[in-house]
């Protein structure tokens, strides 16, 4: 066994390493913020070249001409966007583990939501199916929600900040209340309203509520098209840069 002195030396050494990393992080952030402040005070403006769609391992996201991907969203790897689908500001759709993600017709992934899949080391779920993430047609995924290797059938309204874990199935014509957590391998039956953590049955949906799910998805698509006309397929960063140059303002890529 190690002597107490050596143990103390080991603890001190670990603390030094941890503190060194923390100091580097703090100093690095301070330098970046200082540099930014100096550029702004000198009259320079900063523009970004964020790429909403990213190829990964040779696989490029597929989208149609009427798919809207917001300039600040990130769609990465083996992702298929059907017609009239939309991925909104700050959302991340990340298919970089060899398992695909599909977003159906007129479905929307709203602001700051995250869709991803299980790691490549997981080849099948406990159910025997591949760990893909499937979002059906006329589905609305509320802001801040997280979907992981799950299956969402057609005509579903997922409220704000919901979580649907791997292997879970949400059948058609379902409403999940905001903040609902659907555990791994759970099943939400068709035509029902669920909520809570973990998700629990609340009530059966009436015909008007079922109709409203589809109408909501269609309204969001109309809004997405209004946003899309503001951005060209190649991006609009260069337009911002041209405006800055016309004003005689020094521009710095951030």
């Amino acid at each position: 066994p190690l002597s107490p002195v050596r143990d103390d030396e080991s603890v001190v050494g670990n603390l030094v390493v941890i503190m060194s990393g923390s100091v580097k992080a703090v100093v690095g952030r301070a330098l970046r913020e200082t540099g930014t402040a100096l550029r702004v005070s000198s009259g320079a403006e900063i523009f970004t070249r964020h790429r909403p769609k990213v190829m990964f391992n040779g696989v490029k996201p597929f989208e149609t001409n009427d798919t809207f991907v917001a300039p600040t969203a990130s769609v990465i790897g083996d992702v298929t966007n059907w017609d009239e689908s939309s991925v909104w500001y700050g959302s991340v759709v990340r298919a970089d583990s060899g398992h695909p993600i599909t977003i159906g017709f007129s479905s929307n992934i709203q602001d700051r939501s995250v869709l991803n899949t299980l790691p490549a080391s997981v080849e099948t779920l406990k159910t025997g199916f591949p760990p893909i993430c499937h979002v059906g047609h006329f589905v609305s995924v509320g802001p801040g929600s997280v979907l992981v290797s799950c299956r969402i059938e057609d005509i579903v309204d997922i409220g704000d900040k919901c979580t649907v874990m791997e292997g879970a199935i949400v059948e058609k014509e379902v409403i999940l209340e905001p903040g609902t957590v659907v555990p791994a391998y759970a099943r939400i039956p068709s035509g029902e309203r669920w909520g809570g953590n973990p998700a629990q049955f609340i009530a059966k949906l009436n015909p008007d509520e079922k109709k409203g799910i589809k109408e909501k998805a269609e309204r969001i698509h109309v809004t997405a098209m209004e946003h899309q006309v503001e951005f060209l397929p190649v991006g609009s960063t260069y337009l911002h840069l041209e405006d800055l140059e016309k004003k005689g303002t020094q521009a710095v890529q951030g």
Side-chain angles (χ1 to χ4, degrees):
L2 297 174
S3 66
V5 175
R6 290 182 179 177
D7 286 345
D8 291 342
E9 290 175 351
S10 177
V11 171
V12 171
N14 290 335
L15 288 174
V16 170
V17 171
I18 293 172
M19 292 178 64
S20 175
S22 299
V23 170
K24 288 180 180 179
V26 172
V27 172
R29 180 176 179 181
L31 290 173
R32 289 194 300 270
E33 292 180 351
T34 302
T36 301
L38 289 173
R39 288 196 297 267
V40 172
S41 63
S42 67
E45 291 202 33
I46 301 174
F47 66 98
T48 179
R49 292 189 183 276
H50 172 75
R51 292 188 298 162
K53 290 153 281 188
V54 180
M55 179 184 295
F56 189 85
N57 281 343
V59 182
K60 182 179 179 180
F62 172 81
E63 64 178 61
T64 62
N65 290 333
D66 54 359
T67 296
F68 171 65
V69 177
T72 57
S74 296
V75 180
I76 305 165
D78 192 2
V79 180
T80 299
N81 292 278
W82 281 56
D83 302 78
E84 300 186 7
S85 61
S86 55
V87 181
W88 290 81
Y89 302 91
S91 293
V92 177
V93 182
R94 182 163 58 88
D96 57 356
S97 63
H99 308 305
I101 296 176
T102 301
I103 301 172
F105 178 84
S106 200
S107 291
N108 55 84
I109 311 301
Q110 297 173 37
D111 308 69
R112 305 179 312 284
S113 293
V114 176
L115 274 64
N116 61 12
T117 60
L118 293 178
S121 58
V122 181
E123 296 182 357
T124 58
L125 298 168
K126 294 179 181 179
T127 55
F129 292 100
I132 66 173
C133 185
H134 174 85
V135 176
H137 309 314
F138 299 104
V139 174
S140 295
V141 178
S145 295
V146 177
L147 277 60
V148 182
S149 288
C150 57
R151 184 174 185 86
I152 312 297
E153 298 289 351
D154 301 343
I155 314 177
V156 172
D157 185 5
I158 298 176
D160 299 3
K161 297 182 179 179
C162 288
T163 302
V164 185
M165 296 305 296
E166 73 271 10
I169 298 177
V170 179
E171 297 184 354
K172 66 178 183 178
E173 296 180 329
V174 164
I175 295 178
L176 297 182
E177 291 292 315
T180 300
V181 176
V182 181
Y185 300 101
R187 171 179 164 270
I188 308 297
S190 175
E192 298 180 355
R193 181 189 299 272
W194 284 61
N197 180 11
Q200 297 181 355
F201 171 76
I202 297 177
K204 290 283 188 180
L205 298 182
N206 60 46
D208 288 339
E209 289 173 323
K210 294 178 181 179
K211 182 180 178 182
I213 298 173
K214 186 175 180 180
E215 291 176 343
K216 177 180 179 179
E218 291 173 336
R219 288 197 305 271
I220 293 175
H221 163 63
V222 172
T223 304
M225 292 300 96
E226 294 173 351
H227 282 253
Q228 188 177 37
V229 298
E230 299 295 331
F231 303 100
L232 299 175
V234 295
S236 58
T237 300
Y238 77 95
L239 295 176
H240 182 203
L241 180 57
E242 288 178 353
D243 288 340
L244 294 176
E245 290 174 344
K246 288 178 182 178
K247 296 176 182 178
T249 304
Q250 181 185 358
V252 180
Q253 180 177 339

